[in-house]
Amino acid sequence: MKLQDKLDAMREDFENGRFPLVPTRDQLDTMQRATQLLVDSGQADDALKAGDTAPEFTLEDADGNSVGSRALLARGPLIATFYRGVWCPFCNYDLQALEEIRPAIEERGASLVAISPQTPANSRKSQRDNKLGFPILSDAGTAVAAEFGLRFALPDDLIEVYRQFGNDLPKINDDPAWVLPMPARYVIGTNGVIAYAEVNPDYTRRPDPSDLLPVLNRLRAGTLA
């Protein structure tokens, strides 16, 4: 089953009260309105895209080790996926789908990292619960996400819904600001230039991870930078 098919099924279950957390109609309307506002804002169009130079970054993994993009790119292409957090089931399905193709990514000489505003402790939980073999890096204050053009502030009515759900982002992220990255996936070539970019202002919509493999094949063949 394709990733988007799984996400569509999960969204249907959530909206029809088949999750342990059953949302009200007002809560669903608030969530859908906030997503549409972000889509309509056009921010995704202003995020970094293929052909742009990716910002360099050094972030801590779940065990407190520093992981730098420069060192990773010295070994081969880098896939960086921006992850909202352990509390987001859509994002967790996304990570699981990426883990399924991680061997194929590594066979092509590439590295894979997820970047999230959550604390290292929550990243450890994400890695354990999703059985990941790649690191989740903590982007404190969504600073790296901002450099990629992905950071956005949640509207007040959505903040209230998240509080009602028990998603205390200031605690999860150790940051008083209610900000998140738009989910996004980048393939960065060894020269630091972005070869592929997919930004998703609607967090329920994700490209299939298999889309990454032809990009890596072209990089390997030298038909991309």
Side-chain angles (χ1 to χ4, degrees):
M1 184 183 292
K2 291 285 190 179
L3 172 60
Q4 191 58 53
D5 294 332
K6 293 180 181 179
L7 298 180
D8 290 343
M10 180 166 54
R11 179 174 180 170
E12 183 178 349
D13 285 346
F14 177 67
E15 292 181 351
N16 287 281
R18 295 191 290 268
F19 257 42
L21 173 64
V22 178
T24 66
R25 184 70 255 171
D26 283 347
Q27 289 171 332
L28 287 172
D29 288 346
T30 296
M31 295 169 70
Q32 292 165 2
R33 185 168 57 249
T35 296
Q36 192 60 50
L37 283 172
L38 185 57
V39 171
D40 292 344
S41 75
Q43 183 178 342
D45 297 330
D46 296 329
L48 294 187
K49 52 185 63 71
D52 292 334
T53 298
E56 288 189 14
F57 58 83
T58 299
L59 299 170
E60 286 191 358
D61 67 13
D63 298 317
N65 302 309
S66 292
V67 177
S69 59
R70 180 178 291 187
L72 293 173
L73 289 169
R75 293 163 24 193
L78 172 62
I79 296 171
T81 187
F82 285 83
Y83 169 62
R84 285 155 37 107
V86 65
W87 52 272
C88 175
F90 292 90
C91 295
N92 290 324
Y93 267 29
D94 192 35
L95 293 188
Q96 292 167 24
L98 285 164
E99 174 62 25
E100 287 179 8
I101 71 158
R102 178 175 58 84
I105 288 170
E106 293 175 349
E107 285 171 6
R108 289 161 172 79
S111 300
L112 170 62
V113 300
I115 299 173
S116 170
Q118 68 190 4
T119 63
N122 283 308
S123 291
R124 284 194 296 274
K125 177 173 170 51
S126 291
Q127 287 182 294
R128 182 174 63 251
D129 291 353
N130 293 300
K131 299 179 173 59
L132 304 181
F134 59 90
I136 300 176
L137 309 181
S138 290
D139 180 20
T142 59
V144 173
E147 290 189 68
F148 278 81
L150 304 174
R151 181 172 62 191
F152 70 97
L154 277 65
D156 290 343
D157 55 353
L158 184 60
I159 290 173
E160 182 57 32
V161 168
Y162 278 15
R163 283 185 171 135
Q164 292 164 1
F165 288 168
N167 294 332
D168 186 353
L169 297 192
K171 182 177 180 181
I172 293 166
N173 299 338
D174 193 24
D175 178 8
W178 285 80
V179 294
L180 286 173
M182 288 183 287
R185 213 176 279 160
Y186 288 95
V187 179
I188 305 169
T190 55
N191 61 355
V193 174
I194 296 168
Y196 168 98
E198 179 70 31
V199 181
N200 303 283
D202 181 347
Y203 64 91
T204 70
R205 306 294 304 174
R206 309 291 175 101
D208 202 78
S210 61
D211 294 348
L212 300 169
L213 301 182
V215 181
L216 295 176
N217 290 341
R218 292 195 296 273
L219 284 169
R220 201 172 193 182
T223 56
L224 281 174

